Amino acid sequence: MEDYTDKELVRLFREGSNPGYAFNLIVRKYQEKLYWHIRKLLVSHADTDDTLQVVFIKAFQSLPEFREESSLYTWLYRIATNEALTLLKKRKIRQYLSLEDIGTYLEKTLEADPYSDGDVVKMKLQKAIFRLPEKQRIVFNMKYFDEMKYEDMSEILRTSVGALKASYHHAVKKIEKFIQED
Amino acid sequence: MENDDHIPENLRRAGKEHPFRVPDNYFESFAGRLQERIYKEKPVPASGRLIRFLKPALSMAAIITGALLITWFGYRQVTLNDQNGTLDNFELSDIVDYYLPDYDEDLLMSTIIETGDEAGLKPLESYSDDIYDYLNVDGIDYSLLINDK
């Protein structure tokens, strides 16, 4: 696969004779990154697979109107984050879950999911992350696991860099405390 | 605030690995499965989109029209029934004009007495207590007036 930049991929999709091919290149470039981003929010593989497909379908339908005010990378991450949070919100409403309950729900989902390993240390860290408020959880995952720049996170989450740094700092403190106590 | 990327020791031990896995060949087959789904979910034609957009408004209009029709038919039924059993003013005056020349005062009184008996009306004396109560409402003791007489 040739290494196209995001701008080249968008142009190829819009102006090329085969938009299907261009879109396929976009999918192959971002499928793994977006999968893991969604998976860390939703935990279940089945939910993640379905949400990832929805994300790419929406991107496929909206790409002709994409104004390139943000990069393709942050645009796709934004769609993925919104779709994952929307699904989580539906689950919360359907099962009458509070903030504490959502942590327990994610923990149970992790334990029941056939596509997760039982490593004690990894599980412990995840359980600590599940106890964080939603925004802190997203920020922690993006910074700690994906090592994303605050500037990109700011564009994706539409939050100031300062607020993101504060969120990450609080998240780290809480996780540290949880791991020490547990 | 501490360094933004500072990771405490106990968190560092947990590492940056997560416990999630994917089925074999998941990423290799994903693009193909996605393509199939995109072809299945082809965009709805413009006319279909318009109908989908208008559907809630059309449903609401149908419900309101239905409710109005039911109300109107119900009202019409009630008023028709009323009209069958009653006479309007013109009909009544026609009947009075037709029968009036045949009536004299005695005939009228006997007719009233007769009708009263048929209707099971009580003699006037039996209403005296009611009349007495009615007259007392204004606080005038008519009994005194009666006794004075």
Side-chain angles (χ1 to χ4, degrees), chain A residues 31 35-36 39 45 49-50 53 114-117 121 125-126 143-145 147 165 168 173 176 180, chain B residues 1-2 4-5 8 10-11 14-23 26-27 30 33-34 37-38:
Chain A
Q31 60 179 4
Y35 175 89
W36 293 120
R39 180 77 189 267
H45 165 72
D49 178 46
D50 192 54
Q53 290 188 36
Y115 299 107
S116 64
D117 62 41
V121 182
L125 176 58
Q126 283 303 315
K143 187 69 197 164
Y144 185 77
F145 291 109
E147 297 179 349
K165 283 180 181 177
Y168 181 69
K173 288 281 167 204
E176 195 183 2
Q180 270 172 354
Chain B
M1 197 183 296
E2 295 168 42
D4 302 329
D5 295 330
N10 53 1
L11 193 55
K16 292 203 173 190
E17 294 286 311
H18 52 69
F20 309 119
R21 288 184 290 110
V22 288
Y26 173 74
F27 291 118
F30 180 79
R33 286 187 296 116
L34 178 70
R37 190 164 164 180
I38 287 175

Side-chain angles (χ1 to χ4, degrees), chain A residues 6-151:
Chain A
D6 283 358
K7 277 189 184 297
E8 285 169 338
L9 285 171
V10 173
R11 200 166 53 241
L12 196 65
F13 179 84
R14 284 177 175 165
E15 297 161 15
S17 56
N18 192 351
Y21 169 72
F23 190 71
N24 207 304
L25 293 178
I26 293 171
V27 172
R28 288 186 189 281
K29 185 172 180 180
Y30 285 110
Q31 60 179 4
E32 276 201 54
K33 281 181 183 169
L34 293 178
Y35 175 89
W36 293 120
H37 175 62
I38 299 168
R39 180 77 189 267
K40 276 178 236 132
L41 293 176
L42 298 180
V43 178
S44 147
H45 165 72
D47 285 347
T48 306
D49 178 46
D50 192 54
T51 305
L52 185 63
Q53 290 188 36
V54 172
V55 168
F56 279 120
I57 289 168
K58 287 202 171 169
F60 182 77
Q61 288 166 349
S62 313
L63 210 47
E65 286 94 42
F66 176 53
R67 285 178 290 178
E68 293 186 70
E69 284 165 358
S70 55
S71 68
L72 180 66
Y73 161 75
T74 53
W75 183 66
L76 287 172
Y77 256 83
R78 193 156 60 235
I79 300 174
T81 310
N82 288 343
E83 286 302 315
L85 292 182
T86 304
L87 186 79
L88 215 52
K89 205 174 280 175
K90 280 182 194 166
R91 292 278 149 83
K92 263 193 241 178
I93 292 168
R94 201 177 298 162
Q95 302 186 19
Y96 308 106
L97 297 173
S98 66
L99 177 66
E100 281 179 24
D101 294 339
I102 197 83
T104 316
Y105 164 78
L106 291 173
E107 211 176 299
K108 281 181 184 167
T109 308
L110 176 65
E111 283 163 2
D113 197 274
Y115 299 107
S116 64
D117 62 41
D119 186 290
V120 180
V121 182
K122 290 177 196 170
M123 286 289 221
K124 200 172 172 179
L125 176 58
Q126 283 303 315
K127 284 176 186 177
I129 295 168
F130 294 158
R131 269 157 185 75
L132 295 173
E134 194 171 80
K135 195 67 179 279
Q136 285 181 20
R137 198 154 59 87
I138 298 168
V139 172
F140 182 83
N141 281 334
M142 290 169 111
K143 187 69 197 164
Y144 185 77
F145 291 109
D146 303 343
E147 297 179 349
M148 198 179 273
K149 289 180 198 161
Y150 281 117
E151 287 70 25

